[in-house]
Amino acid sequence: MFRRREPVPFAFIAEADKFRSNVTPPPRQRASAGQLAGRWLLGLTVVAGLVGALVVGMPSLSLDQSPATTQHSEASRGH
């Protein structure tokens, strides 16, 4: 019912070394001072945004809300 499959020949892997190029890519250029400053500024902006969001959101995350400081509207007082 089931026929035995023949193994897959992996000779093409051994032949892959023959086709490798001996040309090396050019060296990467160093980032200029402006590019480095831009990267630092972008990173600093992202970190400052995350810290700012955390600072602004901290009051809403606090659990110790005293009922003495609850606010009531004028309509609930009956005036």
Side-chain angles (χ1 to χ4, degrees), residues 5-13:
R5 292 184 174 178
E6 293 186 23
V8 178
F10 290 104
F12 61 90
I13 294 176

Side-chain angles (χ1 to χ4, degrees), residues 41-54:
L41 187 62
L42 179 65
L44 188 64
T45 303
V46 169
V47 170
L50 291 173
V51 169
L54 185 64

Side-chain angles (χ1 to χ4, degrees), residues 6-7 10 15 23-24 33 41 45 47 58-59 61-64 76:
E6 293 186 23
F10 290 104
E15 293 176 7
V23 177
T24 58
L41 187 62
T45 303
V47 170
M58 283 303 287
L61 294 174
S62 64
L63 296 175
D64 55 343
S76 65

